[in-house]
């Protein structure tokens, strides 16, 4: 039912985890796809090859999503390759430990820059393109941490909470241009970001005990709601945050 034929989607942090599964799912739905990545050439090229094997156009652009010059260059490369950008998924992010009172300033700054500033930078570059074509879909990836907070990860929670507020603000600002802006807020997901803490089986069981559905999801289970928000099925949704967390955080 979902068909993104003729659309061009940009997915930041698209070489692994939620970003990778989103890129592949968008391609299955007939979208051409650009992914951004920072370091792992092999992982990025693998995603591009998989998409091309589905008969869709794909490109991977390398750079630092927290640096304006890199973002401007990446967006330019994507537009030169595809001619336009219809869908932007702001997915790139990091998650690190930081107890307040002990957290170095550089740890705070890195998290805010990668998780939040990147959303501003990419959106700021892409919105003029979407305004000109009077059509666009922006999906920002937040987190349950941004909805309820997260002890020892206040910098991460702050960045993700700000993304929700940013989403609501832009939804109203951009509605007249037929640009819909929404947010997906996952809980725990079985990704590289969580791999280190998931090495402890006791911690994994503890996490499962907080999730009513009783398990930790795979990245592709987050990609589905992202695709929905990019599709024609979500034409009357803007400014919304969809909680994709197995019932662990119930937000009204």
């Amino acid at each position: 039912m979902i068909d993104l034929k003729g659309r061009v989607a940009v997915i930041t942090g698209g070489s692994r985890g939620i970003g990778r599964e989103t890129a592949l799912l968008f391609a299955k739905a007939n979208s051409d796809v650009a992914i951004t990545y920072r370091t792992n050439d092999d992982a990025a090229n693998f995603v591009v090859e998989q998409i091309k094997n589905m008969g869709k156009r794909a490109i991977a652009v390398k750079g630092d999503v927290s640096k304006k010059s890199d973002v401007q260059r990446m967006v330019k490369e994507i537009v030169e390759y595809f001619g336009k950008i219809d869908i932007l998924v702001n997915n790139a992010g990091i998650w690190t430990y930081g107890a307040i009172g002990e957290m170095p300033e550089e740890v705070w700054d890195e998290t805010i820059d990668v998780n939040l500033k990147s959303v501003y930078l990419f959106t700021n570059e892409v919105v003029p393109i979407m305004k000109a074509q009077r059509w666009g879909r922006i999906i920002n990836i937040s987190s349950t941490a941004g909805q309820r907070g997260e002890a020892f990860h206040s910098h991460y929670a702050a960045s993700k909470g700000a993304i929700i507020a940013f989403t609501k603000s832009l939804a109203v600002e951009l509605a007249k241009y037929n640009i819909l802006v929404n947010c997906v807020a996952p809980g725990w997901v079985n990704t590289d970001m969580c791999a280190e803490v998931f090495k402890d089986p006791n911690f994994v069981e503890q996490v499962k005990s907080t999730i009513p559905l009783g398990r930790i999801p795979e990245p592709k289970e987050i990609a589905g709601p992202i695709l929905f928000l990019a599709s024609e099925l979500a034409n009357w949704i803007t400014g919304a945050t969809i909680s994709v967390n197995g019932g662990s955080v119930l937000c009204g």
Side-chain angles (χ1 to χ4, degrees):
M1 179 178 288
I2 293 178
D3 189 352
L4 299 182
K5 185 176 181 180
R7 301 298 185 193
V8 174
V10 177
I11 295 144
T12 69
S15 66
R16 63 192 182 101
I18 293 170
R20 177 179 61 205
E21 294 303 322
T22 300
L24 296 176
L25 189 60
F26 272 47
K28 289 178 182 176
N30 276 326
S31 177
D32 294 322
V33 180
I35 65 169
T36 78
Y37 72 105
R38 185 171 183 178
T39 57
N40 194 329
D41 296 337
D42 290 340
N45 291 334
F46 180 72
V47 174
V48 168
E49 287 306 311
Q50 285 190 296
I51 292 171
K52 287 182 175 179
N53 287 341
M54 297 181 207
K56 306 309 298 181
R57 294 184 296 164
I59 185 175
V61 288
K62 187 175 185 177
D64 185 340
V65 295
S66 69
K67 294 190 181 302
K68 181 179 179 179
S69 59
D70 278 22
V71 172
Q72 289 178 325
R73 173 184 53 77
M74 287 189 280
V75 170
K76 183 180 179 181
E77 286 183 27
I78 292 166
V79 172
E80 286 177 349
Y81 188 84
F82 292 107
K84 63 173 183 171
I85 295 173
D86 298 301
I87 301 160
L88 171 64
V89 180
N90 284 307
N91 166 75
I94 57 173
W95 180 72
T96 58
Y97 180 86
I100 203 65
E102 303 171 7
M103 189 192 308
E105 182 179 2
E106 56 267 25
V107 172
W108 172 274
D109 287 346
E110 180 188 30
T111 297
I112 297 301
D113 285 352
V114 174
N115 291 3
L116 179 59
K117 185 180 178 182
S118 68
V119 176
Y120 149 71
L121 289 173
F122 264 95
T123 304
N124 204 47
E125 290 298 316
V126 169
V127 159
I129 299 166
M130 293 180 171
K131 280 184 175 180
Q133 61 199 27
R134 299 195 70 81
W135 199 97
R137 300 293 181 265
I138 300 172
I139 300 104
N140 299 320
I141 309 306
S142 180
S143 167
T144 54
Q147 296 170 310
R148 67 179 177 185
E150 186 174 1
F152 304 106
H153 303 276
S154 61
H155 52 329
Y156 178 78
S159 70
K160 293 300 186 177
I163 286 172
I164 294 173
F166 187 67
T167 298
K168 291 178 180 179
S169 301
L170 292 191
V172 177
E173 182 176 334
L174 299 176
K176 65 182 178 181
Y177 301 101
N178 195 29
I179 300 171
L180 307 185
V181 189
N182 290 293
C183 190
V184 169
W188 290 102
V189 185
N190 188 22
T191 65
D192 294 347
M193 186 182 290
C194 302
E196 188 63 32
V197 293
F198 283 173
K199 289 179 180 179
D200 180 353
N202 292 326
F203 182 77
V204 171
E205 291 306 311
Q206 180 183 341
V207 169
K208 287 180 180 179
S209 72
T210 68
I211 303 173
L213 288 182
R215 61 182 179 84
I216 297 170
E218 296 301 317
K220 64 182 179 180
E221 295 177 277
I222 315 302
I226 297 171
L227 175 63
F228 164 70
L229 288 174
S231 77
E232 300 294 326
L233 297 177
N235 278 350
W236 203 240
I237 301 175
T238 195
T241 297
I242 297 183
S243 298
V244 189
N245 57 43
S248 60
V249 176
L250 301 176
C251 298

